[in-house]
Amino acid sequence: MLCAIYKSNRKIGTYLYVAKRDQFEAIPDVLREAFGPPIFVMMFNLAGQKALVNADKDTVRKKIETQGFYLQMPKEDDWLFKL
């Protein structure tokens, strides 16, 4: 299964995965508003050998199949607050 990956210009580390390039009908309006204009990153084969860096391919595929998209949020990094 191929999917298209987009990054947000409003929140660093936030990515949106959809089944087909430039098709955002499944994305709720409130998410579209918060995400901002999507910036295309690449097409990715979820059935291929290559792994995703910060997401599980099976989870991404299941979410796209059931809800039409997968939203990857950045991991919280609290290294700034550690001494």
Side-chain angles (χ1 to χ4, degrees), residues 7-70:
K7 67 179 180 177
S8 172
N9 68 348
R10 294 188 179 161
K11 178 76 172 163
I12 294 172
T14 303
Y15 293 87
L16 187 63
Y17 298 67
V18 293
K20 295 185 179 180
R21 188 171 179 170
D22 297 332
Q23 291 190 359
F24 305 106
E25 295 80 21
I27 313 302
D29 291 338
V30 67
L31 177 55
R32 283 192 221 187
E33 181 73 26
F35 193 82
I39 301 167
F40 178 74
V41 176
M42 66 183 203
M43 296 298 292
F44 187 84
N45 185 358
L46 293 170
Q49 297 291 331
K50 191 171 180 181
L52 291 167
V53 176
N54 291 317
D56 176 67
K57 291 191 307 184
D58 289 331
T59 302
V60 172
R61 182 185 48 79
K62 287 176 188 172
K63 288 289 188 177
I64 290 173
E65 288 173 351
T66 59
Q67 69 183 16
F69 68 94
Y70 174 79

Side-chain angles (χ1 to χ4, degrees), residues 65-82:
E65 288 173 351
T66 59
Q67 69 183 16
F69 68 94
Y70 174 79
L71 180 65
Q72 177 185 315
M73 300 293 290
K75 293 181 180 180
E76 294 297 322
D77 189 359
D78 61 353
W79 65 270
L80 289 173
F81 303 104
K82 292 181 182 177

